[in-house]
């Protein structure tokens, strides 16, 4: 009551217009300092001395006329809304969007690209099953546009006769029936036609979006390069299959495709998948999530750790292609030792020395083991380091999911090895490699550097207030 009476006398002695103008100045100062989460009120320094000495109580401020307080509150809310709108506009103005024509076009292009990425994923898995069932060499010729499969018994017999001339039939599948041949033929035919189907799914919407004006020049060039790489993937696949149709150098060697060509084919598929997925993420998420400047600094630290880990994940996946190309998974089906030793004696038995890293069964499997453990350790170290770094909650959750996927992938690999490479586990292991690569790609994309406009806006918001706090 004492404060109320004193404030009443103050209002009688002071000019009402002066107080209103001072409160407006207080409102502006409050909006500037509210972004710093200040818990104390501040007033301009040039206010009347008697107002400063008697206006230190929050209860006294509540006793002011209601219409005056409501006007001040509305002023503060309006100012904050204008500030937030300005920050958003400043951030968006610095972005180089890959898709024009608004959110509807952005959503349509994003769905299309994610669908193409899922198609490539399934194509890689189907290719792995085709290899595991030894179906890849069942079709002894190749056409760029493809063709109809055998429809009559006579046509099946003709295709089977072609296959009987191949080294694989003579050394491995001799005595196979036509019915057994149909299974491996359908597997390879499905793999090839599924790849050609991807070309249609990619090219027709691409042409439509260009005609509609949705796609910018930058996005158009990027997608054209991916389309050309996808078209070349068919040629690489036939180049790989052709190596398995040639007579082996020794009668004791089983006919199989060149591990170098298999690794090229698989690596090219990984590049296409990562390129489409990265582009899809850039379309639907043109700006990295960064709600605060300290989160941006934390994302920079995470990026420095995630990039080397991503490289190790990719290198491990490529080394798996050499394991498959040399059938190295069927040797040394023990862990952690390789047979009775930690390191086999014949890891450098080939000449020249470099051949051992790509053709020597013992060294190829040893390298894959070491890289797998290195991958798990690198992602585990990334997760441990991220616990001490202040980052966006989504980034922290993504790192935890990546660590879980890495542990699952190692488990699948060990199970595949110890159970002598069953088709189900081996195909799941290959799908796991691509899934882990997806997690790492998503992480690197999420912690990428924000646009200059967003960095500038976040820096301006985080500047300390110049208003003096009582």
């Amino acid at each position: 009551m004492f404060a109320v009476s004193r404030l009443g006398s103050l209002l009688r002695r002071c000019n009402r217009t002066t107080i209103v103008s001072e409160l407006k100045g207080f409102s502006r100062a409050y909006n500037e300092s509210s972004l710093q989460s200040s818990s104390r009120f501040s007033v301009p320094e040039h206010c009347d001395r008697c107002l400063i000495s008697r206006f230190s109580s929050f209860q006294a401020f509540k006793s002011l006329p209601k219409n005056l307080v409501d006007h001040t509150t509305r002023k503060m809310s309006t100012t904050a809304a204008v500030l937030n709108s300005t920050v958003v506009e400043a951030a968006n103005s610095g972005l180089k969007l890959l898709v024009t024509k608004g959110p509807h076009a952005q959503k349509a292009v994003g769905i299309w690209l994610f669908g193409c990425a899922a198609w490539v994923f399934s194509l890689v898995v189907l290719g792995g099953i085709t290899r595991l069932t030894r179906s890849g060499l069942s079709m002894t010729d190749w056409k760029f546009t493809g063709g109809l499969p055998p429809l009559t018994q006579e046509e099946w017999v003709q295709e089977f006769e072609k296959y009987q001339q191949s080294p694989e039939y003579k050394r491995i599948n001799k005595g196979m029936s036509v019915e057994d041949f149909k299974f491996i033929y359908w597997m390879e035919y499905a793999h090839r036609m599924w790849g050609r189907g991807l070309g249609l799914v990619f090219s027709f919407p691409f042409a439509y979006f260009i005609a509609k004006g949705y796609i910018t020049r930058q996005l158009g060039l990027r997608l054209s390069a991916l389309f050309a790489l996808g078209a070349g993937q068919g040629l690489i696949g036939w180049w790989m299959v052709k190596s398995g149709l040639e007579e082996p150098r020794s009668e004791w060697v089983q006919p199989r495709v060149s591990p170098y060509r298999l690794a090229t084919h698989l690596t090219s598929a990984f590049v296409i998948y990562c390129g489409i997925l990265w582009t899809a993420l850039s379309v639907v998420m043109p700006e990295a999530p960064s709600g605060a400047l300290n989160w941006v600094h934390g994302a920079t630290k995470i990026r420095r750790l995630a990039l080397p880990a991503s490289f190790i994940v990719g290198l491990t996946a490529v080394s798996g292609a050499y394991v498959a190309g040399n059938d190295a998974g069927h040797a040394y089906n023990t862990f952690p030792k390789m047979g009775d030793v930690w390191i086999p004696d014949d890891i450098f038995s080939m000449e020249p020395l470099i051949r051992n890293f790509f053709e020597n069964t013992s060294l190829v499997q040893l390298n894959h083991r070491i890289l797998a453990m290195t991958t798990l350790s690198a992602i585990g170290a990334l997760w441990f380091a991220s616990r001490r770094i202040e980052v966006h909650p989504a980034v922290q959750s993504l790192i935890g999911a990546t660590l879980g996927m890495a542990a699952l992938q190692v488990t699948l690999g060990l199970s595949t090895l110890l159970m002598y490479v069953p088709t189900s586990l081996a195909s799941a292991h290959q799908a796991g490699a691509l899934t882990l690569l997806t997690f790492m790609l998503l992480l690197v994309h999420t912690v990428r550097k924000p646009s200059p406009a967003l960095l500038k806006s976040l820096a301006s918001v985080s500047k300390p207030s110049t208003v003096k706090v009582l």
Side-chain angles (χ1 to χ4, degrees), residues 156-173:
W156 277 112
V157 171
Q158 291 177 4
E159 288 294 329
F160 186 47
E161 289 176 352
K162 294 179 183 179
Y163 177 68
Q164 287 176 323
Q165 305 302 316
S166 67
E168 184 180 65
Y169 175 83
K170 295 176 180 178
R171 300 194 182 189
I172 299 176
N173 292 330

Side-chain angles (χ1 to χ4, degrees), residues 296 298-308 382 444 447-450:
V296 175
T300 301
K301 297 177 182 178
I302 295 296
R303 184 168 63 250
R304 293 171 182 170
L305 299 173
L307 287 175
L382 172 62
V444 173
V447 298
R448 72 193 188 281
K449 187 176 180 180

Side-chain angles (χ1 to χ4, degrees), residues 17-238:
T17 305
T18 303
I19 294 177
V20 173
S21 63
E22 295 297 341
L23 286 175
K24 289 182 178 180
F26 163 76
S27 172
R28 289 190 296 270
Y30 175 80
N31 277 281
E32 294 175 359
S33 61
S34 63
L35 295 175
Q36 301 300 319
S37 300
S38 176
S39 62
R40 306 175 70 179
F41 291 97
S42 58
V43 296
E45 190 176 8
H46 64 276
C47 182
D48 185 74
R49 298 299 179 184
C50 66
L51 183 60
I52 296 177
S53 62
R54 293 169 175 81
F55 200 63
S56 59
S57 172
F58 180 71
Q59 295 296 328
F61 176 73
K62 289 176 65 177
S63 66
L64 287 175
K66 184 177 180 180
N67 60 347
L68 182 60
V69 176
D70 291 343
H71 174 75
T72 304
T73 306
R74 288 194 299 269
K75 183 69 175 178
M76 289 190 292
S77 300
T78 303
T79 306
V82 171
L83 178 60
N84 291 335
S85 177
T86 303
V87 171
V88 173
E89 291 177 1
N92 290 338
S93 63
L95 292 178
K96 295 182 179 179
L97 299 177
L98 297 176
V99 176
T100 60
K101 305 295 184 179
H104 174 73
Q106 186 181 27
K107 180 180 179 181
V109 175
I111 292 174
W112 164 60
L113 289 175
F114 279 120
C116 290
W119 195 296
V120 176
F121 190 103
S122 65
L123 187 60
V124 172
V125 174
L126 181 58
I129 297 174
T130 302
R131 179 189 57 79
L132 290 166
T133 55
R134 293 188 177 275
S135 304
L137 301 178
S138 58
M139 298 180 67
T140 57
D141 54 11
W142 182 81
K143 297 179 181 179
F144 184 79
T145 57
L148 294 175
L151 300 176
T152 63
Q153 186 65 22
E154 291 75 13
E155 292 177 344
W156 277 112
V157 171
Q158 291 177 4
E159 288 294 329
F160 186 47
E161 289 176 352
K162 294 179 183 179
Y163 177 68
Q164 287 176 323
Q165 305 302 316
S166 67
E168 184 180 65
Y169 175 83
K170 295 176 180 178
R171 300 194 182 189
I172 299 176
N173 292 330
K174 191 171 184 179
M176 172 184 283
S177 66
V178 177
E179 295 302 319
D180 293 334
F181 169 72
K182 287 182 180 180
F183 172 78
I184 62 174
Y185 185 93
W186 279 120
M187 289 296 301
E188 175 64 11
Y189 183 82
H191 180 56
R192 294 189 185 188
M193 296 308 296
W194 197 244
R196 292 183 175 94
L198 175 62
L200 299 178
V201 170
F202 189 93
S203 58
F204 284 116
F206 186 29
Y208 171 77
F209 290 138
I210 290 178
K212 295 286 288 185
Y214 290 178
I215 295 178
T216 61
R217 179 181 178 85
Q218 179 185 359
L219 179 59
L221 292 175
R222 186 186 304 184
L223 294 178
S224 298
L226 289 172
F227 180 76
L229 186 59
Q233 179 72 339
L235 297 174
I236 295 174
W238 171 242

